[in-house]
Amino acid sequence: SDSPVINKQIQDIQLPADSVLVSIVRGEEVVVPKGNTVLKPGDDIIALTVVGNESQLLNLLVGKI
């Protein structure tokens, strides 16, 4: 719920290079992310990125840990 990307459309999020959001698990539903998909509190995101960008992607989606 503290994520900096909550309530933002995916198209408005600057993902690190070589990163992609693969799917969103929202309760019992699996959402295929599109540009106009809005991320909501409680969403579990499945993402792919290169090893060197993992911490940057995690900070973007979760916030500073």
Side-chain angles (χ1 to χ4, degrees):
S1 62
D2 295 336
S3 170
V5 295
I6 293 296
N7 297 319
K8 290 188 178 180
Q9 289 186 343
I10 292 174
Q11 64 193 7
D12 296 330
I13 299 169
Q14 186 70 34
L15 293 172
D18 300 318
S19 300
V20 63
L21 303 185
V22 177
S23 64
I24 301 167
V25 180
R26 186 173 286 159
E28 298 295 319
E29 180 183 9
V30 175
V31 177
V32 176
K34 297 178 176 57
N36 64 349
T37 302
V38 176
L39 297 175
K40 298 181 180 180
D43 283 352
D44 289 317
I45 299 171
I46 299 172
L48 293 175
T49 192
V50 295
V51 173
N53 291 342
E54 184 178 355
S55 62
Q56 185 181 359
L57 180 62
L58 188 60
N59 285 337
L60 173 72
L61 297 176
V62 178
K64 297 286 183 190
I65 299 177

